[in-house]
Amino acid sequence: MSDPYASRTPVHEQAFEGFGTVRVLPLDAEADAAVIHRWVGEDRAAFWGMTELTERQVAGIYAHMATLDTHHAHLVVRDGEPVALLQTYEPEADRVSECYEVRPGDIGVHLLLAPAGPGGGQRGWTARLVTAVAGYVLLGLDRRRVVVDPDVRNEKAVARFLKLGFAPGPVVVLPEIDLPDVYLPEKKAQLAFLDREILFPG
């Protein structure tokens, strides 16, 4: 089977024995809209707040994000198969900065995993995927700490981050944002942090 993403230049690439090669690609708002729209439209992605959006609206959101210097979107593929949507952002340019003290070297991350395939979830799958993403964010971008802010109601995501080594921070309320280009409702979030030394000591 040919890799439809082979011609795209990754910002990060990592091979795992027995798992495959994970590549982090800059998101193409037009080319990737159908895949992302399918993922965010599922009930399990309700906390992304895009379940009611059309494919064109999803493409528009990511086309707008591509114009920003502080927020970036990526498609994560494993052996040519899309497996996750990764968004990174500068915390000081995001509403989360109103809820905690941003440190130099912090980077914010949102991660949406693709639905499990027909065979269900593979043991260790998420851990290896997150290791590849963390390798890009912490080593590739030379950052000291990852910040995540899942909705407190999204117990599955919160538990997953803690299992992966994130330290829980405070529960905070992210303020509503109502701008011409973006609307985000108020969100009660569980902050969690992952220091570089936890995954990459030395």
Side-chain angles (χ1 to χ4, degrees):
M1 188 180 74
S2 63
D3 178 353
Y5 302 96
S7 63
R8 288 165 62 173
T9 304
V11 292
H12 182 76
E13 186 170 321
Q14 191 168 349
F16 294 88
E17 191 174 341
F19 183 70
T21 300
V22 176
R23 301 166 76 230
V24 181
L25 310 173
L27 189 78
D28 183 321
E30 289 297 323
D32 299 329
V35 170
I36 302 304
H37 177 253
R38 193 166 68 244
W39 293 350
V40 300
E42 295 184 341
D43 288 343
R44 67 185 189 89
F47 296 110
W48 281 66
M50 296 185 180
T51 48
E52 303 300 317
L53 300 188
T54 66
E55 186 177 317
R56 294 305 317 150
Q57 288 172 316
V58 169
I61 286 170
Y62 287 103
H64 170 69
M65 189 179 291
T67 67
L68 305 177
D69 294 328
T70 55
H71 294 62
H72 303 281
H74 300 85
L75 187 69
V76 184
V77 300
R78 181 187 74 155
D79 292 345
E81 189 71 27
V83 291
L85 168 65
L86 167 68
Q87 293 176 202
T88 61
Y89 61 91
E90 302 298 337
E92 63 269 22
D94 189 87
R95 61 180 177 167
V96 75
S97 65
E98 298 181 36
C99 302
Y100 90 103
E101 194 173 331
V102 180
R103 288 188 201 162
D106 278 0
I107 187 164
V109 163
H110 298 301
L111 185 66
L112 177 65
L113 301 178
Q122 183 184 342
R123 188 172 176 81
W125 191 92
T126 302
R128 280 180 280 197
L129 198 63
V130 169
T131 298
V133 167
Y136 165 58
V137 171
L138 291 168
L139 301 180
L141 299 179
D142 191 25
R143 298 306 181 98
R144 305 301 312 174
R145 186 171 68 155
V146 174
V147 182
V148 294
D149 60 359
D151 192 298
V152 289
R153 296 168 298 167
N154 192 353
E155 294 172 359
K156 200 170 179 179
V158 173
R160 181 187 297 131
F161 283 124
L162 298 183
K163 186 179 176 183
L164 291 167
F166 280 76
V171 171
V172 300
V173 177
L174 302 183
E176 177 189 61
I177 291 180
D178 193 0
L179 299 172
D181 289 319
V182 62
Y183 173 75
L184 294 170
E186 185 179 87
K187 172 178 147 182
K188 192 174 184 182
Q190 169 67 65
L191 296 188
F193 305 91
L194 181 68
D195 290 308
R196 186 160 80 182
E197 290 72 23
I198 299 294
L199 278 187
F200 307 106

